[in-house]
Amino acid sequence: MQKSEKEEMIKELSDKFQRTQTAIVAEFSKLDVETVTKLRRKFREAKVEYKVIKNTLAKRAAKGTSVEVISDDFKGPVALAISYDDVIAPAKILTEFVKDLETIKIRSAVVQGRKIDVEGVKALAKLPGLTELRGQLLGMLNQPASMLARTLSAPGSQLARVLQAHSEQGESK
């Protein structure tokens, strides 16, 4: 690789690291093509970028970014799972894959500028995702309105039932 290509790659990685919300460093070895393809597909569906990195270039690109706190883990064959929006998605996908495979090991992660270890990534994966949180929030926002509607309609429906019972009594006499 020529020096100009390296510089371009460092600049591109640095730009990505600037925008990163979550970056997880995973060590991998002896992965077959089918497994990598499945993993990449899951990441793509969740809008997470999965990149096998060249360690020296990634360390240089990480300087001055939030990813710098995990740059010490750029040793050996590693890949980065990078998310720009959803903080939880990469952790969920990787921990799910780690359960089934012993060839992938999570080393560490950075979440919104804070370094977390493997246990932190596992805890993060247990949290509800962005779509689940939005659904819960929407449910909480709708709950008072639906309770208000039931409360306001209760006296009218009670009055209707009393009038119905009264008219049925009048007809039976």
Side-chain angles (χ1 to χ4, degrees):
M1 189 180 278
Q2 291 182 357
K3 187 174 182 174
S4 61
E5 290 174 321
K6 287 180 182 179
E7 291 299 323
E8 188 177 320
M9 189 175 232
I10 290 169
K11 185 179 183 304
E12 180 185 322
L13 272 174
S14 183
D15 290 342
K16 289 179 181 188
F17 291 166
Q18 294 283 341
R19 297 181 289 132
T20 297
Q21 290 292 316
T22 303
I24 301 175
V25 179
E27 177 184 345
F28 64 92
S29 60
K30 301 176 189 166
L31 286 177
D32 59 1
V33 175
E34 185 181 333
T35 306
V36 173
T37 304
K38 283 181 189 175
L39 183 60
R40 285 184 186 272
R41 186 179 308 120
K42 284 196 174 226
F43 278 136
R44 210 174 304 115
E45 289 168 0
K47 295 181 182 161
V48 174
E49 191 172 333
Y50 177 77
K51 239 178 168 10
V52 176
I53 57 170
K54 187 161 173 71
N55 297 330
T56 53
L57 298 180
K59 282 181 183 181
R60 288 176 54 196
K63 285 190 174 149
T65 68
S66 63
V67 179
E68 187 173 11
V69 295
I70 59 171
S71 64
D72 293 338
D73 291 324
F74 296 160
K75 295 175 188 151
V78 293
L80 267 178
I82 302 170
S83 177
Y84 304 109
D85 299 323
D86 192 354
V87 176
I88 298 167
K92 278 189 184 281
I93 294 168
L94 267 177
T95 52
E96 185 181 306
F97 253 78
V98 169
K99 278 191 260 182
D100 300 335
L101 299 170
E102 293 154 11
T103 55
I104 299 176
K105 292 182 181 128
I106 299 171
R107 287 192 181 170
S108 65
V110 62
V111 178
Q112 295 179 336
R114 292 193 196 117
K115 183 178 181 175
I116 59 174
D117 60 356
V118 178
E119 295 304 314
V121 173
K122 289 178 182 176
L124 185 65
K126 292 177 184 172
L127 293 173
L130 189 60
T131 54
E132 291 103 18
L133 286 173
R134 285 179 178 160
Q136 288 175 357
L137 181 62
L138 189 60
M140 289 184 346
L141 289 173
N142 284 338
Q143 189 176 14
S146 60
M147 286 181 63
L148 178 65
R150 282 194 300 272
T151 304
L152 290 175
S153 69
S157 61
Q158 286 174 349
L159 178 63
R161 282 193 291 275
V162 168
L163 290 174
Q164 180 70 30
H166 185 64
S167 70
E168 287 174 0
Q169 257 187 349
E171 291 175 3
S172 65
K173 286 184 182 179

